[in-house]
Amino acid sequence: MTAAASPEDLVRAVRAAGVRDERVLRAVRATPRAGFVPAAHVAHAYEDVPIPIAHGQVTTQPSLSATMIEGLRLTGVEHVLEVGSGLGYQTALLARTARDVVGVDLWPDLVRAARRNLARQGIRNAEVRVGDGGQGVREHAPYDAVIVSAAFPTVPAPLVEQLRPGGRLVQPIGTGGREEVVLFERTVIGLEPRQVLTLASFVRLHGRFGYPS
């Protein structure tokens, strides 16, 4: 990382990836990724790359997070569920583009770190909790939007049930390694695919409605 590296470097990478939503770009500009990565990887915080974290997980590449968030078409009034919060960077982007965010992650140490990172940035409209992401967080449903940062061949049924009619959901569909990142909308007949946003590699979704932990 050079002395000049900053969120603006990521804004350029996000634009280059095709993201045009100005609210998403402003969120990237306002969120210092260096505050959301392990200390050993701070030198790479403003590179548009995934960064390894505990438990064999990685952070989502910033341009990919931005692409997924743009697909949700957030206007600032939405109640959002995030499955796979990691260290909280994507959570922070969502918090700056939605009304509020409920994040869930399997790993208690990651959740504690995400909470600290968000608090340091003064982000108060995001709650991150320990849980099986595929089961969602039923007590805070329904959600206007759901974003899933782990791969599975199908969308877990609880996430569909907790998404309000007309709500949008983005999930990488596949077995983990190379997926189609698909935008869905909940209609009167169920969850309907609307668009393949991009191709990308994700870790697998684990839990009762994913792969065995």
Side-chain angles (χ1 to χ4, degrees):
M1 182 176 69
T2 67
S6 74
E8 201 61 40
D9 294 275
L10 291 180
V11 172
R12 285 190 286 272
V14 167
R15 284 189 187 277
V19 174
R20 295 293 178 263
D21 187 325
E22 286 297 330
R23 299 186 73 255
V24 176
L25 295 169
R26 284 198 298 270
V28 174
R29 183 174 288 114
T31 306
R33 194 182 184 213
F36 294 89
V37 300
H41 296 279
V42 167
H44 302 289
Y46 297 110
E47 297 172 14
D48 186 31
V49 295
I51 287 177
I53 56 177
H55 309 289
Q57 305 298 294
V58 296
T59 66
T60 303
Q61 183 175 346
S63 62
L64 181 53
S65 283
T67 297
M68 294 169 73
I69 294 170
E70 181 179 56
L72 295 175
R73 298 182 189 171
L74 303 174
T75 65
V77 300
E78 294 84 3
H79 176 50
V80 179
L81 174 66
E82 178 195 34
V83 176
S85 297
L87 296 180
Y89 177 72
Q90 181 175 270
T91 317
L93 298 182
L94 289 164
R96 289 187 160 119
T97 50
R99 186 189 77 212
D100 60 75
V101 184
V102 178
V104 60
D105 205 288
L106 273 175
W107 309 103
D109 55 332
L110 295 184
V111 169
R112 289 191 296 269
R115 289 170 176 167
R116 287 194 301 268
N117 294 339
L118 292 163
R120 288 190 189 109
Q121 298 300 322
I123 294 171
R124 296 182 175 85
N125 62 330
E127 171 193 349
V128 183
R129 56 169 61 195
V130 179
D132 180 345
Q135 297 193 56
V137 182
R138 191 171 300 277
E139 59 266 38
H140 290 302
Y143 298 97
D144 301 301
V146 176
I147 186 168
V148 184
S149 298
F152 197 65
T154 59
V155 177
L159 302 185
V160 181
E161 294 163 5
Q162 292 171 37
L163 183 64
R164 70 162 177 80
R168 299 164 76 84
L169 180 149
V170 172
Q171 179 182 313
I173 299 298
T175 57
R178 189 65 174 172
E179 286 75 48
E180 291 186 336
V181 181
V182 182
L183 168 67
F184 297 88
E185 182 177 350
R186 186 174 179 187
T187 70
V188 292
I189 60 171
L191 200 65
E192 296 289 316
R194 294 301 189 212
Q195 182 183 356
V196 176
L197 299 177
T198 189
L199 301 177
S201 298
F202 278 82
V203 297
R204 287 180 162 193
L205 179 69
H206 291 276
R208 180 180 173 189
F209 292 89
Y211 294 98
S213 297

